[in-house]
Amino acid sequence: MSKDNFSNELENAKSLKELSQVLTKLREAEKNLAIDGTWSLGTVFSHCAQSIQYSINGYPDMKSTLFRSTIGSAAFAVFSLRGKMRHGLEEPIPGSEKLDLQIPFSTGHKELLEAIAYFETKKSEDLKPHFAYGNLNKEEYDQAHALHIKNHFERITFI
């Protein structure tokens, strides 16, 4: 996969299902990829998988109800409108299990594809509130996860 093809496919992906197709193709380019920062690409994938799993099982630490119903929901609305998210790219999910910073590509890749597939089987009522954005339905969560992954993928470079 060339850098231009990857960039175009990533930019056009609006859902987790579409991103899983990009991830599958990304596997073909594994040896030609690098990521800026201290997290390996596998760690980034694992972090994104962790976020998806928490949306199903519940986040370990939650912002206050007031935060989620005001600042958090407003932030999600802005991200949603812009179609783009910005957040600390090496900040763990609050209260999450500490991730190894050098998770192998294949491990993180598999975890993320499995988390996406599991998410696809869920209904809105199966999902737990987001730790910052509050209650999201499945479509909103799909978008939030897609924007989260795409933000992390901005650090991927082709070598």
Side-chain angles (χ1 to χ4, degrees):
M1 174 185 294
S2 74
K3 180 179 182 180
D4 291 337
N5 286 345
F6 173 72
S7 296
N8 289 339
E9 286 190 40
L10 183 60
E11 187 60 35
N12 293 330
K14 305 289 186 214
S15 70
L16 286 176
K17 188 172 188 171
E18 292 166 347
L19 277 174
S20 70
Q21 295 166 357
V22 174
L23 278 167
T24 299
K25 291 179 182 175
L26 197 58
R27 182 81 166 120
E28 299 166 9
E30 173 189 354
K31 302 288 186 233
N32 301 315
L33 300 176
I35 189 160
D36 297 330
T38 59
W39 286 9
S40 71
L41 197 48
T43 301
V44 169
F45 290 165
S46 187
H47 164 80
C48 293
Q50 193 179 53
S51 180
I52 294 168
Q53 292 161 345
Y54 285 144
S55 69
I56 298 164
N57 300 324
Y59 286 85
D61 286 347
M62 303 289 285
K63 299 278 187 183
S64 71
T65 303
L66 179 61
F67 181 95
R68 287 178 296 183
S69 65
T70 57
I71 296 167
S73 63
F76 176 70
V78 170
F79 295 151
S80 182
L81 271 172
R82 289 179 45 215
K84 197 166 195 135
M85 173 187 287
R86 290 269 181 242
H87 76 294
L89 295 176
E90 292 188 348
E91 291 179 11
I93 297 163
S96 65
E97 294 178 27
K98 185 174 170 86
L99 293 173
D100 177 348
L101 299 184
Q102 296 303 313
I103 294 173
F105 179 99
S106 59
T107 302
H109 184 265
K110 180 180 179 209
E111 286 176 11
L112 184 51
L113 286 175
E114 288 174 353
I116 290 170
Y118 187 54
F119 178 85
E120 291 296 322
T121 69
K122 298 300 175 186
K123 297 178 178 135
S124 286
E125 56 268 17
D126 297 328
L127 303 175
K128 306 293 187 212
H130 187 273
F131 77 93
Y133 306 147
N135 292 324
L136 300 177
N137 64 34
K138 185 171 180 179
E139 184 178 306
E140 291 166 330
Y141 248 129
D142 188 277
Q143 183 181 29
H145 289 313
L147 293 174
H148 179 227
I149 293 167
K150 287 168 64 169
N151 188 196
H152 279 284
F153 279 18
E154 291 173 15
R155 285 191 160 179
I156 294 175
T157 55
F158 285 77
I159 52 175

